Amino acid sequence: MGYTNYFKTKREFTPTEWNVITNMAKHVISVSNVTIRNGEGKEQPIINDDEIVLNGCAYLGEDHEGFALTRMPCYDFCKTNRKPYDDVCMAILQFVQMTHREDIDLSSDGDNEPFWRDPSLKLLAEASMHVIQNLEPIFMYNGVPK
């Protein structure tokens, strides 16, 4: 059968919100030890103004079904069969849930296994630290916004 994650977004993300989501997705991919490819598992992942599409690497046998999260409202699922790219998908979905709690519903068919699994949370934390360490200061020392 296979392990599946389900997600439903309830509204369109604004361009600013989507920019934050896609940047975090790029950071999650960059700090993971997983080779991430596009939905077919063969070329670079797709991360643009409309969608995030990824899979594990087909050449390494780490692919299963493609994951696709869109800026527009959607109800979708991704059967990862718990292959390594599952943690990347979960980290991205967990970030969206943390930042837009009312706008996304998440579930999985993991036999009562906690949806917020430790490996994907560690991956999200590493990506978050990467983002935080590379932020420019928002305020100058005199308290006046830049």
Side-chain angles (χ1 to χ4, degrees), residues 136-140 144-146:
E136 289 185 28
I138 297 171
F139 294 96
M140 296 186 331
V144 177
K146 284 187 174 180

Side-chain angles (χ1 to χ4, degrees), residues 35-101:
T35 303
I36 298 297
R37 297 292 182 234
N38 68 0
E40 290 78 39
K42 297 181 179 175
E43 298 176 11
Q44 293 300 313
I46 299 167
I47 301 175
N48 61 35
D49 292 341
D50 299 312
E51 62 187 354
I52 298 169
V53 181
L54 57 89
N55 200 335
C57 181
Y59 303 114
L60 299 174
E62 295 180 347
D63 65 318
H64 205 66
E65 290 184 358
F67 168 84
L69 178 66
T70 63
R71 190 173 151 221
M72 301 303 289
C74 68
Y75 175 71
D76 210 344
F77 63 91
C78 179
K79 187 182 292 186
T80 62
N81 206 27
R82 291 195 172 131
K83 294 209 174 172
Y85 79 104
D86 180 63
D87 287 329
V88 173
C89 298
M90 291 301 300
I92 293 167
L93 290 172
Q94 289 167 351
F95 176 75
V96 175
Q97 187 173 54
M98 287 174 16
T99 56
H100 299 86
R101 187 167 303 282

Side-chain angles (χ1 to χ4, degrees), residues 18 22 25 27 50 72 81 84 99 102 113 115 129 138 141:
W18 189 249
T22 57
H27 287 298
D50 299 312
M72 301 303 289
N81 206 27
T99 56
E102 301 298 318
E113 177 181 296
F115 187 71
M129 287 307 300
I138 297 171
Y141 285 110

